């Protein structure tokens, strides 16, 4: 994958499973990769395109389903999503199109039969070709009335691993509520590197010794999403916020802002849509509102954290260093990097708010007070809405991987220093794990071209080394 311009989101996909042009992105090619004899998606073994017989088609489908499907019942399907595959959209291969091929709805099956009036029974090759032709123009689940698949959660294009889909609206809605209420637990595995041209092992002894150690009670405000919900649920806070940042507006304009309601997203969307109408000075208003909103989020988090840590039964107190309470910061009172008492010696937490700039920009921003110097270029003057984000990281091992693209000094040993980590996100923000590791912890995921500042996919193949290992979630049925 070649990111020519991160801010402009000019993207040229180069999937790790892709073949030679013009088949590089084809659903047909992906199916042959999944159903082939090779065991790795990024193998260079040639994929044949011989005509499909009945026996070979049945064997192909058995291999695809056995490698792809993790769980299946009347309500849900869980798959092992391949790396470098989009969820949906106008692309030649997506998760949605892959599932439609394996489990076509009745309307699609009828269309395929109508296309083959010359034969009483479809041949395997004809079924295969007609399915591909019927699926090609589809972009999302609304394109077919009887499309059974509903998105429950997302995985990034470059991320592989466990992906859950609902098979009807009720099932998908129930699973979405589990994610919203933090009853779904996700676990990822990643390979990170401190520097692609360095032999210094990531997350060494010095890294852990510099971190403050906090009591377990410090994490209580993050349970069930209570920390981030509090500022948005108070209508008075939002009303005071709007009034305090809009003194230059007319009373009519202020009333219009307040009528939109306490939701920040509604306010900002309305501002974006109305800027051209010159109702008021929307852009400058939004900039000031953004900064004050972020500060109010931090104040609410700090208050909640103080209530927790000042309880009489807490024997241990949090570190009172100034770094744990940064005025105006959009993070909580927690420091960007810290450990928790009585947890594994190789475990730590990353706490830094994240915001999406929009305007076609691909990467997300981290609160500048938490980001490492020079890791976050082109930070805008007015930050977007910054959402509190927390990640737990445990180092499994440190070692070296083969690096075919390292500098001459590192090439002498033919290796790059890496660490394998287990990641548990307490919040589910876009690019949270990637940006926390790269811009706060200083150890980007190997092969993550978006947050390493290089187009080099890394030392261990042509993909980003992030995998969704496990999903634990209560399901209906």
């Amino acid at each position: 994958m070649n990111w020519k311009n991160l801010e402009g989101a000019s993207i040229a996909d180069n999937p790790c499973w892709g073949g030679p042009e013009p088949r590089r992105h084809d659903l047909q090619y992906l199916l042959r990769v999944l159903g082939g004899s090779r065991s790795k998606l990024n193998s260079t073994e040639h994929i044949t395109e011989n005509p499909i017989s009945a026996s070979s088609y049945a064997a192909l489908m058995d291999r695809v389903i056995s490698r792809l499907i993790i769980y299946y019942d009347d309500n849900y399907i869980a798959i092992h999503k391949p790396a470098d595959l989009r969820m949906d959209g106008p692309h030649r291969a997506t998760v949605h199109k892959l599932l439609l091929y394996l489990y076509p709805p009745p309307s699609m099956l009828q269309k395929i039969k109508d296309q083959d009036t010359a034969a009483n029974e479809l041949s395997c090759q004809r079924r295969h070709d007609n399915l591909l032709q019927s699926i090609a123009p589809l972009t999302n689940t609304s394109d077919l009335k009887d499309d059974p698949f509903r998105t429950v959660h997302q995985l990034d294009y470059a991320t592989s691993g466990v992906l859950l889909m609902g098979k009807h609206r009720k099932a998908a809605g129930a699973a979405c509520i589990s994610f919203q209420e933090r009853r779904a637990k996700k676990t990822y595995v990643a390979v990170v590197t401190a520097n692609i041209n360095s032999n210094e092992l990531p997350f060494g002894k010095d890294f852990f010794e510099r971190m403050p150690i906090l009591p377990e009670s410090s994490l209580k405000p993050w349970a069930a999403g209570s920390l981030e919900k509090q500022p948005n649920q108070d209508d008075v806070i939002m009303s005071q916020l709007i009034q305090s940042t809009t003194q230059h507006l007319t009373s009519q304009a202020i009333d219009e802002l307040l009528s939109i309601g306490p939701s920040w997203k509604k306010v900002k969307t309305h501002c974006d849509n109305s800027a051209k109408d010159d109702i008021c000075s929307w852009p400058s208003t939004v900039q000031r509102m953004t900064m004050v909103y972020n500060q109010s989020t931090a104040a609410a988090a700090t208050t909640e954290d103080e209530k927790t840590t000042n309880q009489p039964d807490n024997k241990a107190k949090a570190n009172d260093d100034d770094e744990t309470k940064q005025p105006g910061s959009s993070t909580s009172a927690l420091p960007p990097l810290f450990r928790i008492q009585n947890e594994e010696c190789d475990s730590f937490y990353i706490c830094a708010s994240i915001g999406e700039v929009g305007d076609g920009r691909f990467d997300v921003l981290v609160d500048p007070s938490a980001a490492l110097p020079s890791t976050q270029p082109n930070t805008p003057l007015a930050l977007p809405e910054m959402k509190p984000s927390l990640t737990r990281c445990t180092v499994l091992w440190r070692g070296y991987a083969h690096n075919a693209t390292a500098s001459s000094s590192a090439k002498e040993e033919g290796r790059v220093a890496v660490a394998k980590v287990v990641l548990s996100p307490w919040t589910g923000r876009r690019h949270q794990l990637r940006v926390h590791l790269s811009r706060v912890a200083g150890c980007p995921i190997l092969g993550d071209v978006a947050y390493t500042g290089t187009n080099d996919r890394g030392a261990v193949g042509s993909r980003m080394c992030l995998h969704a290992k496990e999903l634990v979630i209560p399901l209906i049925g």
Side-chain angles (χ1 to χ4, degrees), residues 18-40:
E21 296 292 357
R23 298 295 190 187
R24 182 175 298 279
H25 308 85
D26 276 2
L27 175 60
Q28 178 175 208
Y29 196 87
L30 176 60
L31 285 165
R32 290 180 180 271
V33 169
L34 292 172
S37 59
R38 64 189 189 174
S39 59
K40 296 182 179 180

Side-chain angles (χ1 to χ4, degrees), residues 88 168 307 314 363:
D88 52 24
H168 53 81
K307 289 179 181 179
N314 286 338
D363 61 335

Side-chain angles (χ1 to χ4, degrees), residues 33-79:
V33 169
L34 292 172
S37 59
R38 64 189 189 174
S39 59
K40 296 182 179 180
L41 284 181
N42 60 352
S43 170
T44 57
E45 178 183 330
H46 179 63
I47 301 297
T48 61
E49 299 192 29
N50 297 325
I52 300 175
S53 64
S55 59
S56 64
Y57 186 76
L60 175 74
M61 290 298 98
D62 285 345
R63 288 193 295 268
V64 171
I65 291 175
S66 65
R67 291 174 180 175
L68 190 72
I69 307 303
I70 301 173
Y71 177 83
Y72 186 94
D73 64 17
D74 293 338
N75 299 308
Y76 299 98
I77 182 171
I79 70 169

Side-chain angles (χ1 to χ4, degrees), residues 235 238-239 242 252-274 279-280 282 286 289:
D235 294 1
M238 181 56 78
S239 298
I242 294 175
Q252 179 182 358
I254 293 178
D255 289 341
E256 184 177 356
L257 274 174
L258 292 174
S259 68
I260 300 172
S263 168
W264 168 261
K265 288 186 177 180
K266 289 182 180 179
V267 171
K268 190 174 188 309
T269 300
H270 189 78
C271 290
D272 294 340
N273 294 338
S274 302
I279 297 176
C280 58
W282 290 107
V286 171
M289 288 176 62

Side-chain angles (χ1 to χ4, degrees), residues 430-441:
R430 178 172 175 260
H431 293 185
Q432 175 178 323
L433 303 179
R434 300 164 65 179
V435 78
H436 271 184
L437 287 167
S438 176
R439 293 181 172 172
V440 183

